[in-house]
Amino acid sequence: MLPDLLTQIRACQICAAQLPHAPRPVLRASETATLMIVGQAPGTKVHATGIPWNDQSGKRLRQWLGLTPQEFYDERKIAIVPTGFCFPGTGKNGDLPPRPECFRHWHPQLLPLLPNIRLTLLIGAYAQQAFLGTRAKANLTETVAAWQEYLPTYLPLPHPSPRNMAWFKRHPLFEREVVPALQEMVQAVLPQ
């Protein structure tokens, strides 16, 4: 059932008319995955390669998680399911928000087919708003600061983009306190 749905998602054309390029949905999932990573949407490099988190943001994310690329891309253990599956285009201040069609149409069908997820990482404000709804705080900084409130199901994180260097400098406690806790949680939920 999941393989059939993944085939349908990868062939999706729902928002093709609104995208700057031909749709190329990028995600990875398996019924055996125990960790789910939810970001916003693929960027230009990910769109070109079809490999999620295949950029500098992904490199930093893997460092935060304490995982090698081989571990990170093992879809038997880790599902990578962005809020929007296709590159939405570029705006004035970076990539545009993920198209809402993906989340509304595909996530309700996909998430029940991932029964073994023990922890979902919500990376960036779009993922946090989509999954937490009214439980999200007024902004990303407040949501990330309240990370323990969302456990054991969710862990909100800032986006690891190089564009967020100023945020990391203003919030050094994130890398001192949250990242070590994140690494422990990841090791606890991933099968050995």
Side-chain angles (χ1 to χ4, degrees):
M1 201 154 143
L2 178 61
D4 292 339
L5 183 62
L6 292 173
T7 298
Q8 292 174 41
I9 292 171
R10 289 180 177 125
C12 180
Q13 298 287 311
I14 291 173
C15 58
Q18 288 78 34
L19 296 174
H21 306 288
R24 185 177 193 179
V26 178
L27 75 158
R28 291 176 181 234
S30 167
E31 293 170 352
T32 59
T34 56
L35 176 67
M36 184 164 64
I37 298 172
V38 180
Q40 54 185 47
T44 54
K45 187 170 184 183
V46 172
H47 174 79
T49 64
I51 301 170
W53 295 99
N54 183 30
D55 52 19
Q56 288 302 309
S57 297
K59 184 176 179 182
R60 178 179 292 244
L61 177 59
R62 287 186 290 278
Q63 289 171 346
W64 286 353
L65 301 175
L67 297 175
T68 66
Q70 293 77 17
E71 293 167 323
F72 182 82
Y73 289 114
D74 185 347
E75 66 188 44
R76 296 169 303 163
K77 298 178 181 182
I78 299 175
I80 302 175
V81 180
T83 308
F85 298 134
C86 292
F87 172 58
T90 304
K92 206 179 229 185
N93 297 315
D95 291 349
L96 293 172
R99 298 289 316 165
E101 296 89 345
C102 273
F103 193 78
R104 287 195 305 253
H105 184 78
W106 294 116
H107 284 73
Q109 298 175 66
L110 178 61
L111 298 180
L113 300 179
L114 302 174
N116 294 304
I117 299 298
R118 295 175 53 202
L119 177 65
T120 298
L121 307 181
L122 301 176
I123 301 173
Y126 295 114
Q128 292 161 19
Q129 291 162 2
F131 278 77
L132 300 177
T134 58
R135 292 181 59 210
K137 306 297 181 194
N139 57 52
L140 176 134
T141 299
E142 291 179 23
T143 303
V144 171
W147 62 277
Q148 292 171 312
E149 289 181 27
Y150 306 105
L151 294 173
T153 306
Y154 300 115
L155 178 58
L157 300 171
H159 198 285
S161 170
R163 292 176 186 251
N164 287 339
M165 291 308 293
W167 190 94
F168 300 126
K169 287 179 182 172
R170 285 192 314 273
H171 303 93
L173 285 178
F174 171 75
E175 291 194 315
R176 275 202 314 265
E177 294 180 7
V178 180
V179 169
L182 166 63
Q183 290 178 0
E184 285 181 23
M185 286 182 263
V186 166
Q187 289 305 310
V189 301
L190 289 180
Q192 299 305 316

